[in-house]
Amino acid sequence: MSAPLTFDGRVVLVTGAGGGLGREYALAFGQRGAAVIVNDLGGDIKGGGRSSAAADKVVEEIRAKGGKAVANYDSVEDGEKLIQTALDTFGRIDIVVNNAGILRDRSFARTSDVDWDLIQRVHLRGSFLVTRAAWNHMKNQKFGRIIMTSSAAGIYGNFGQANYSAAKLGLLGLSNTLAIEGQKYNIHCNTVAPTAGSRLTETVMPPDLVQSLKAEYVAPLVLWLCHEACPENGGLFEVGAGWIGKLRWERSLGRTLRQKNRSMTPEAVRDTWNEICDFTDATKPASIQESLQTLVEVLSRVEDERGIGANPTGASAGTNPSLAVGQTLPEMSFSYTHMNCILYALGVGMSTREPDHLKFLYEGHEDFSCLPTFGVIPAQSAMTGLGSIPGLDIDFTRLLHGEQYLEMFRPLPTSGTLTSRATVADVLDKGSGMVILLDVHTYSERELVCYNQFSVFIVGSGGFGGKRTSQKAVVTAPLPDRPPDAVIVDQTSRDQAALYRLSGDWNPLHIDPSFAAMGGFKSPILHGLCSFGFAARHVLKQYAGNDVSRFKSIKVRFAKPVYPGQSLQTEMWKEANRIHIQCKVKESGDVVLSGAYIDLHPEASVSAEPPQTGGLQSDLVFAEIGRRIRDAGDELVKKVNAVFGWEISKDGRTVREWTIDLKTGRGSLHRGASKADVTFSVSDEDFMEVVLGKLNPQKAFFAGKLKVKGNIMLSQKLEAVLKDYAKL
């Protein structure tokens, strides 16, 4: 049997405790060790009269059973006096049960100002004044429990009780806000809507029912909600006859009627009324943030000129994330020549007017290269395969490209055949739609070339009860709080979208005016991945000298559309090897790529000459490893087939990071962290001891000098680098 709940050392104020529910609460608290302030004005149910007899009688009952109690006869409108009684008598206040109430039932047409005001003063204002008087004491002691008393009349309405209903639902709003404000101070506030026999319910219930609905069937809920072990906060409970139930709000999926630059009419509301009121797959918002989220998403879609006409939160009956997540699509093959690389470069704005663009436009150039962002092209067809995934019911006319991540593991070949393998990484419920995270790994033969994560938003497919976030998502990053370090502006051509689509994105939205108009756009729009390519090459030029080997990864969120002919302005902030970017339409100032960044590999990370060590002996070792990779990289890649990360520390702080890639191409070494199969953390001194054979690696590991993350078995393959040659 579980331990009984006690209130030893707690001080409780119960208002309206001279009879009915209040009396039952006071007796129960007193019996379980609390010191109780029994408040009762002693008036009648309409608020008239005054007497100390009711409160005194309850105090006597508590004391007769060995409890501690004191009476208070003030009105709840004198809230400070009630709390002062607790402080003067017991030195603190821990729990407030706002229970006092009166009735002045009238049909609405007959309700006078006095009828209205008196009910509000006792129920709503009285609870406010008593709670406010206790609030700072509870904050200072980092503990408080508060009960507000609502009613079924307040939740549902009841004939002849307009004044009472308004006050009772007002108490729920007050309670919900106090729950939010008090949370960090360990002050919990909950609301009960009891149905019990009392002076108030005698006027609206048959006598036999009043007798059956005993107050003792309500008190256990109130005591639990007031106990220090109860985590509940901001709840609403109906209780009576031994039954307890929790209530919550429910909202229909609704329908978005507004389109940008078009009037919203009452006729449209009339014509979609059944959908607006359809509670199928309804949502259950539990906070104002959740309530507003749908509206924010609707506004975003409308401002993006999407012209939504469907439910923003219309869940599809065919959506079952548990079936979809982890599903793989058939392997895709993509063959291309130098012509495709050149066509892509032209599609993202490169021109022979710029001499440094020639290496991307002329196959005969001595340093002819493929732009890194071409890596999205062989992978993009994976999105069309989503329709075949079980558990996903997708209307492709409502598919929006939300975010994109691309990571390069080696420079792209300028021709060849690439294969891509796509997996549904996760499915998220954003309320107004469904987000699908699609991971695509692209290989040249067996070598991983690049990794894409497509984040696609299916408008109107949310509300299926799924999770809202995922640890598998590559996240965006906030901009530094300073002016940009560099800005590049490029004007797109009138035919930019027509040119970019030749790289494989054939969506008519980007070429056909009538199709664009159906989507709410004034003319065909530029591909989001085209703006993506513009921004990436701006960073590559500004911070990497157009050296494609330095490009590591890019992440963007697509915010607003661009029309061909507009100018793209890329703003850049450099922080170490990360370049934060924001891309705007210069003419309007609209942000089109947000939360974006590009990570670069450090410049000239491997040198034939001994590097500047800055006092680290290990730098000389890594320089030698780099030489060995250059001399015998092919053989090492075949033998090892792994990527090793190293974190070198000095004086307890990581001061160097290295990546040894013996998995792709002819192998490489670069300074800085990259995605590794296994990562070693070791001090500079211990690293040298291991390399020179003075410290056994296993002993170093078990002694905590060498820490390993990832596939520890791959550490055995390091011998190929560290021991198959003459001593370092």
Side-chain angles (χ1 to χ4, degrees):
M1 182 177 177
S2 59
L5 298 177
T6 62
F7 292 86
D8 296 336
R10 296 299 185 194
V11 178
V12 182
L13 165 66
V14 182
T15 68
L21 284 168
R23 170 182 174 275
E24 194 66 38
Y25 300 154
L27 293 174
F29 277 117
Q31 186 176 0
R32 289 175 179 263
V36 185
I37 296 87
V38 179
N39 162 262
D40 203 286
L41 186 63
D44 60 32
I45 66 168
K46 293 186 177 181
R50 194 178 188 117
S51 170
S52 64
D56 289 341
K57 183 178 179 181
V58 176
V59 169
E60 290 173 8
E61 288 184 78
I62 295 173
R63 290 175 176 174
K65 295 179 180 179
K68 294 176 287 186
V70 64
N72 174 276
Y73 318 113
D74 294 304
S75 166
V76 289
E77 291 188 86
D78 297 316
E80 293 283 354
K81 293 181 179 179
L82 277 68
I83 300 303
Q84 195 60 50
T85 298
L87 300 176
D88 291 345
T89 309
F90 301 113
R92 61 186 291 128
I93 181 67
D94 297 294
I95 298 166
V96 171
V97 180
N98 291 293
N99 173 73
I102 61 172
L103 282 179
R104 292 180 74 94
D105 291 353
R106 299 280 193 278
S107 65
F108 183 65
R110 297 179 58 239
T111 300
S112 68
D113 289 353
V114 172
D115 294 330
W116 179 270
D117 292 343
L118 188 56
I119 291 295
Q120 308 306 314
R121 282 166 46 197
V122 173
H123 289 272
L124 186 54
R125 180 171 168 78
S127 297
F128 156 69
L129 291 168
V130 172
T131 304
R132 186 179 67 176
W135 188 258
N136 283 334
H137 299 287
M138 292 178 171
K139 280 178 62 177
N140 293 335
Q141 68 197 19
K142 296 293 190 294
F143 178 84
R145 295 293 185 266
I146 301 166
I147 298 294
M148 299 292 180
T149 304
S150 185
S151 166
I155 299 169
Y156 307 109
N158 192 35
F159 184 88
Q161 293 190 308
N163 51 358
Y164 182 74
S165 299
K168 285 303 187 183
L169 196 59
L171 283 166
L172 175 62
L174 174 60
S175 178
N176 289 343
T177 296
L178 295 185
I180 295 168
E181 293 189 15
Q183 181 73 41
K184 64 180 179 180
Y185 302 108
N186 192 26
I187 302 174
H188 294 180
C189 189
N190 291 285
T191 305
V192 296
T195 301
S198 68
R199 292 189 304 163
L200 301 190
T201 54
E202 284 174 354
T203 63
V204 292
M205 290 183 180
D208 55 343
L209 184 57
V210 171
Q211 291 299 317
S212 300
L213 297 173
K214 295 181 179 179
E216 64 190 71
Y217 300 150
V218 175
L221 169 63
V222 171
L223 265 68
W224 167 238
L225 291 174
C226 292
H227 197 270
E228 60 191 32
C230 181
E232 188 68 36
N233 190 24
L236 169 62
F237 299 87
E238 283 189 283
V239 53
W243 170 88
I244 302 170
K246 185 174 183 179
L247 281 75
R248 64 184 179 189
W249 293 104
E250 185 176 64
R251 181 171 63 184
S252 74
L253 296 176
R255 184 177 174 89
T256 303
L257 306 180
R258 185 168 75 91
Q259 294 182 337
K260 193 169 184 179
N261 300 324
R262 298 186 187 180
S263 299
M264 182 176 171
T265 66
E267 289 79 13
V269 177
R270 175 199 63 198
D271 296 342
T272 57
W273 192 245
N274 288 340
E275 294 176 58
I276 292 169
C277 298
D278 182 2
F279 276 88
T280 303
D281 297 319
T283 61
K284 299 170 181 66
S287 69
I288 194 169
Q289 290 79 15
E290 291 182 25
S291 173
L292 291 174
Q293 182 64 35
T294 295
L295 300 183
V296 171
E297 290 171 351
V298 167
L299 288 171
S300 175
R301 302 273 85 78
V302 172
E303 288 303 310
D304 283 356
E305 302 181 326
R306 308 292 183 187
I308 306 170
N311 285 3
T313 53
S316 167
T319 301
N320 187 343
S322 63
L323 293 178
V325 174
Q327 290 284 338
T328 59
L329 279 69
E331 188 171 279
M332 299 163 290
S333 180
F334 177 80
S335 297
Y336 65 107
T337 68
H338 64 273
M339 184 178 68
N340 299 90
C341 300
I342 295 170
L343 192 60
Y344 175 82
L346 293 169
V348 296
M350 289 200 137
S351 168
T352 55
R353 292 191 301 269
E354 303 289 338
D356 60 342
H357 289 189
L358 198 59
K359 66 180 287 188
F360 300 104
L361 299 174
Y362 174 40
E363 71 283 4
H365 192 280
E366 62 180 1
D367 194 22
F368 179 57
S369 302
C370 183
L371 281 169
T373 48
F374 183 76
V376 300
I377 300 301
Q380 64 186 358
S381 61
M383 286 193 287
T384 62
L386 289 173
S388 64
I389 296 293
L392 298 181
D393 189 4
I394 297 174
D395 180 350
F396 281 94
T397 65
R398 298 179 182 177
L399 185 149
L400 308 174
H401 195 168
E403 297 181 7
Q404 183 70 30
Y405 177 74
L406 166 67
E407 182 174 356
M408 305 301 302
F409 295 96
R410 52 160 292 187
L412 287 161
T414 54
S415 64
T417 298
L418 303 176
T419 55
S420 295
R421 300 165 192 164
T423 304
V424 177
D426 221 335
V427 179
L428 308 179
D429 185 352
K430 294 294 186 178
S432 63
M434 171 174 61
V435 169
I436 302 170
L437 300 178
L438 183 65
D439 285 350
V440 185
H441 293 81
T442 300
Y443 300 82
S444 176
E445 295 182 351
R446 295 179 60 186
E447 297 179 21
L448 179 62
V449 176
C450 61
Y451 158 66
N452 281 273
Q453 184 176 87
F454 295 84
S455 177
V456 296
F457 187 87
I458 315 298
V459 176
S461 294
F464 53 86
K467 60 184 180 180
R468 297 185 64 85
T469 60
S470 172
Q471 293 183 341
K472 298 176 184 177
V474 180
V475 298
T476 55
L479 292 176
D481 187 16
R482 66 175 191 270
D485 302 321
V487 178
I488 292 179
V489 179
D490 249 342
Q491 184 173 7
T492 64
S493 77
R494 184 69 180 83
D495 297 316
Q496 201 72 59
L499 186 58
Y500 182 85
R501 68 189 298 268
L502 300 179
S503 288
D505 189 336
W506 304 103
N507 190 335
L509 179 66
H510 307 292
I511 191 71
D512 185 345
S514 60
F515 194 90
M518 290 171 58
F521 302 106
K522 62 183 181 182
S523 63
I525 61 172
L526 195 62
H527 306 69
L529 286 175
C530 182
S531 302
F532 170 91
F534 266 80
R537 68 174 182 80
H538 288 164
V539 171
L540 198 65
K541 175 186 176 80
Q542 180 70 29
Y543 290 108
N546 283 331
D547 180 357
V548 296
S549 68
R550 292 196 57 203
F551 188 97
K552 180 184 177 185
S553 60
I554 176 173
K555 171 68 179 182
V556 307
R557 174 181 293 137
F558 301 108
K560 285 197 173 184
V562 179
Y563 290 97
Q566 291 182 321
S567 298
L568 286 171
Q569 176 175 302
T570 303
E571 300 170 343
M572 296 167 267
W573 292 259
K574 187 177 189 304
E575 293 197 336
N577 293 317
R578 172 161 289 185
I579 315 299
H580 295 269
I581 57 177
Q582 178 173 262
C583 198
K584 296 179 177 177
V585 173
K586 183 182 179 183
E587 292 80 1
S588 66
D590 289 341
V591 175
V592 297
L593 300 180
S594 64
Y597 60 85
I598 290 176
D599 287 335
L600 299 174
H601 292 301
E603 186 175 8
S605 58
V606 177
S607 171
E609 301 299 322
Q612 298 296 316
T613 65
L616 295 186
Q617 301 176 73
S618 57
D619 284 350
L620 297 172
V621 176
F622 282 103
E624 171 63 15
I625 292 172
R627 184 191 66 76
R628 293 178 177 181
I629 291 173
R630 285 195 302 275
D631 292 345
D634 289 334
E635 182 182 346
L636 287 170
V637 168
K638 289 179 183 178
K639 183 180 292 187
V640 177
N641 191 33
V643 179
F644 302 98
W646 286 90
E647 298 173 347
I648 307 297
S649 62
K650 193 172 182 66
D651 299 325
R653 184 172 60 89
T654 299
V655 293
R656 291 283 193 280
E657 291 180 310
W658 295 93
T659 300
I660 303 173
D661 184 351
L662 296 178
K663 199 173 192 177
T664 57
R666 298 186 65 253
S668 64
L669 168 74
H670 66 262
R671 188 163 152 184
S674 294
K675 188 174 183 180
D677 298 307
V678 58
T679 300
F680 303 92
S681 301
V682 64
S683 72
D684 185 56
E685 296 82 358
D686 290 333
F687 176 83
M688 293 306 298
E689 293 286 296
V690 170
V691 168
L692 295 173
K694 296 180 180 180
L695 177 62
N696 182 283
Q698 289 185 349
K699 290 183 178 179
F701 175 75
F702 287 114
K705 295 182 177 182
L706 175 65
K707 298 179 181 178
V708 185
K709 293 181 291 186
N711 187 349
I712 192 171
M713 300 304 296
L714 291 175
S715 60
Q716 300 175 32
K717 296 189 175 184
L718 274 175
E719 294 183 6
V721 179
L722 300 179
K723 291 188 177 179
D724 282 0
Y725 297 86
K727 283 189 177 181
L728 290 160

